[in-house]
Amino acid sequence: MFPAGRRTAVIGGVRTPFLKSGTLFEKMTAADLGAVAVKELVARTDLDPQTIDELIYGAVIPSVSRPNIAREVLFDAHLPDRIPASSVVMACATSNRAITDAAERIALNLADVVIAGGAECLSDVPILFSRDFARRLVRLSKAKTAAQKAKVFAGFRPGELAPVAPAIAEYTTGLSMGESAEKMAKENHISRAAQDELALGSHLKAAAGWDRGILAPEVVPVPVAPKFEEMATVDNIIRRDTTLAALAKLPPVFDRKFGTVTAGNSSPLTDGASAVLLMSEDRARAEGRKALAFIRSWAYSALDPGDQLLQGPAYAAPRALDRAGLKLSDMGRVEMHEAFAAQVLSNLQAFASKEFAREKLGRDQPVGEVDPEILNLYGGSIAIGHPFAATGARLVTTLSHELARSGEQFGLLTVCAAGGLGHAMVLERAE
Ligand SMILES: CC(C)(COP(=O)(O)OP(=O)(O)OC[C@H]1O[C@@H](n2cnc3c(N)ncnc32)[C@H](O)[C@@H]1OP(=O)(O)O)[C@@H](O)C(=O)NCCC(=O)NCCS
């Protein structure tokens, strides 16, 4: 049995609408969005806030003024201030890490009730001064006399004032996520047509998910700061009218001459937050709660970022399945984070490849083919959006609800992340 110790039940999960950055959430922060998600999760699950043992939360882009986002979310959600709150970060697998940290605490009997999740507001990225200018400002704060202050600015060059914005790029290789997806498309021979087809499916399935009333119950309305007069209620990135022809017309972004990765087959820059309520099985039973699902197993993987950066799921999934004592063929649903269509298709190819199994995993048999009929049934990050730290808890929420709804017994979810990281988790329907 993995993990040793007590089982973790997923009791509930919510997310805010996921909005294209620079739109309605433009004046909000990740903590603002996280607080709405957490507060509403507590209300919807009818949870006594006094019973919460811990809040574990994360954001990938850090706030300079509020670095421990978990604590800020707790305060803004008006939860009791005696609840410890800690922040985690693991690139796009941040809320997955928060969730598995919570499950470890529960397994070890250190906690019974934990809220975990993540938020990202890419409309609110810290823009820094250059290191040279920042050093001058530090020296200025220490200077006492007018002469010392004047000396601080000796040799000043206007170029020092050029702002430094965070890049969505690997520090070690200098390649952006998009360039890395492009590299994967080329090395794995993933065609532009296949990428566009996956992107089209993502939009159409997400639109159907809303139309069929499946996604709405997971999404909490957000009063939009600063005036709080308008409510954000639905995702605004899904294009129900997109077509293969429209997608095919878009120019490649990351390799303009020979590339295949476009704005249409990439996940967009997104603002949003998510949160899940996790309980020990005993506590859930004692409270008479019906869990949506149980966490059966999980695994993390890591590879050289200079290799195929976003291939982590192909390494993590077989480990998570082994730990669950199950095979891919036992999975009734698969949720795969779509950073880029090229990344999803590369991972699916690796899942099915005997060569990959032998050479990269040291296994005789590949993980297997994922049936497209069970993959990302209500769209993925390309259509729904990808607020980095919020995506993992979105996947756990959607998959847990889907297991409860469909009666399927097992589901697999996977996440690729910057740094060459990967995550996979197996969920089990609650009996
Ligand atoms: C790819 C990226 C650079 C595109 O950014 P952008 O140029 O602001 O994207 P836009 O939404 O403006 O789309 C560009 C154009 O494509 C069009 N478009 C995008 N998706 C489309 C679709 N599905 N169907 C039709 N047209 C589409 C837009 O309408 C827009 O057209 P316009 O220029 O005529 O207005 C950006 O989304 C990005 O960086 N994504 C990757 C994020 C990332 O690295 N995440 C980490 C993952 S691990």
Side-chain angles (χ1 to χ4, degrees):
M1 187 75 174
F2 171 90
R6 303 187 306 164
R7 277 211 298 180
T8 295
V10 181
I11 301 297
V14 297
R15 67 173 174 90
T16 67
F18 282 3
L19 305 188
K20 192 168 161 57
S21 66
T23 61
L24 263 190
F25 293 155
E26 193 179 23
K27 294 189 176 155
M28 299 186 73
T29 66
D32 295 340
L33 295 171
V36 175
V38 168
K39 197 172 172 190
E40 192 63 22
L41 177 70
V42 171
R44 288 189 179 192
T45 52
D46 202 14
L47 181 70
D48 175 357
Q50 297 297 341
T51 64
I52 303 170
D53 293 313
E54 256 189 82
L55 174 70
I56 308 177
Y57 214 74
V60 175
I61 308 288
S63 161
V64 177
S65 51
R66 304 201 285 177
N68 183 2
I69 186 174
R71 194 69 179 141
E72 307 302 335
V73 163
L74 181 129
F75 292 139
D76 288 357
H78 306 296
L79 296 180
D81 50 18
R82 56 135 206 97
I83 301 171
S86 54
S87 299
V88 294
V89 61
M90 198 178 186
C92 299
T94 287
S95 50
N96 305 96
R97 186 88 244 182
I99 289 166
T100 60
D101 281 3
E104 285 169 12
R105 305 263 218 288
I106 288 171
L108 288 172
N109 215 353
L110 297 171
D112 274 303
V113 181
V114 185
I115 291 179
E120 211 71 50
C121 190
L122 292 174
S123 298
D124 176 39
V125 294
I127 305 209
L128 310 175
F129 281 120
S130 69
R131 206 49 212 276
D132 285 346
F133 193 69
R135 228 175 3 247
R136 288 185 199 278
L137 293 178
V138 172
R139 276 194 244 130
L140 185 66
S141 69
K142 290 179 186 155
K144 291 196 177 82
T145 64
Q148 283 171 340
K149 285 181 183 161
K151 204 174 154 202
V152 163
F153 287 99
F156 168 76
R157 292 165 292 108
E160 290 175 23
L161 287 174
V164 183
I168 310 175
E170 281 300 305
Y171 191 80
T172 49
T173 64
L175 286 187
S176 70
M177 297 295 120
E179 287 165 333
S180 300
E182 194 63 81
K183 177 175 184 296
M184 291 172 74
K186 290 186 180 111
E187 290 180 6
N188 301 322
H189 310 288
I190 307 292
S191 71
R192 167 75 184 266
Q195 292 174 52
D196 287 349
E197 201 168 314
L198 188 132
L200 176 70
S202 186
H203 284 277
L204 299 184
K205 288 187 284 184
W210 276 98
D211 294 346
R212 290 172 54 199
I214 284 168
L215 293 180
E218 299 174 11
V219 177
V220 299
V222 178
V224 178
K227 292 193 173 160
F228 303 103
E229 286 165 358
E230 199 173 348
M231 293 294 273
T233 55
V234 290
D235 299 324
N236 74 357
I237 296 164
I238 302 164
R239 293 173 185 247
R240 54 183 62 244
D241 57 349
T242 193
T243 60
L244 274 184
L247 284 160
K249 277 197 201 123
L250 299 175
V253 181
F254 302 101
D255 172 356
R256 290 181 189 278
K257 230 174 171 177
F258 303 109
T260 52
V261 178
T262 69
N265 58 39
S266 306
S267 60
L269 301 175
T270 311
D271 302 333
S274 58
V276 294
L277 171 60
L278 304 166
M279 272 189 192
S280 65
E281 185 173 11
D282 325 340
R283 175 62 74 87
R285 288 229 162 91
E287 289 193 11
R289 289 177 180 274
K290 171 104 180 76
L292 293 170
F294 286 102
I295 297 178
R296 171 97 173 198
S297 73
W298 68 84
Y300 290 94
S301 61
L303 55 95
D304 174 2
D307 190 2
Q308 296 204 358
L309 182 78
L310 304 173
Q311 199 70 310
Y315 295 83
R319 278 184 216 159
L321 288 165
D322 282 355
R323 287 173 175 178
L326 296 167
K327 297 197 177 334
L328 182 64
S329 54
D330 296 315
M331 300 297 116
R333 295 286 184 267
V334 176
E335 282 289 327
M336 188 176 263
H337 160 50
E338 300 169 346
F340 299 90
Q343 157 267 318
V344 174
L345 293 165
S346 294
N347 275 277
L348 293 175
Q349 188 182 79
F351 271 37
S353 161
K354 277 192 177 156
E355 206 182 350
F356 184 88
R358 214 174 31 244
E359 289 174 11
K360 304 285 186 180
L361 305 175
R363 291 167 176 254
D364 298 339
Q365 294 300 322
V367 173
E369 301 249 0
V370 176
D371 176 359
E373 296 295 315
I374 65 166
L375 177 66
N376 294 355
L377 281 193
Y378 311 112
S381 304
I382 290 174
I384 293 171
H386 174 38
F388 306 144
T391 289
R394 170 183 75 77
L395 296 173
V396 170
T397 297
T398 298
L399 186 55
S400 299
H401 279 112
E402 175 60 12
L403 291 179
R405 183 172 40 234
S406 66
E408 289 292 341
Q409 199 178 355
F410 300 112
L412 171 74
L413 67 92
T414 70
V415 179
C416 61
L421 300 168
H423 170 72
M425 175 175 271
V426 175
L427 293 178
E428 179 171 13
R429 179 170 54 87
E431 312 74 38

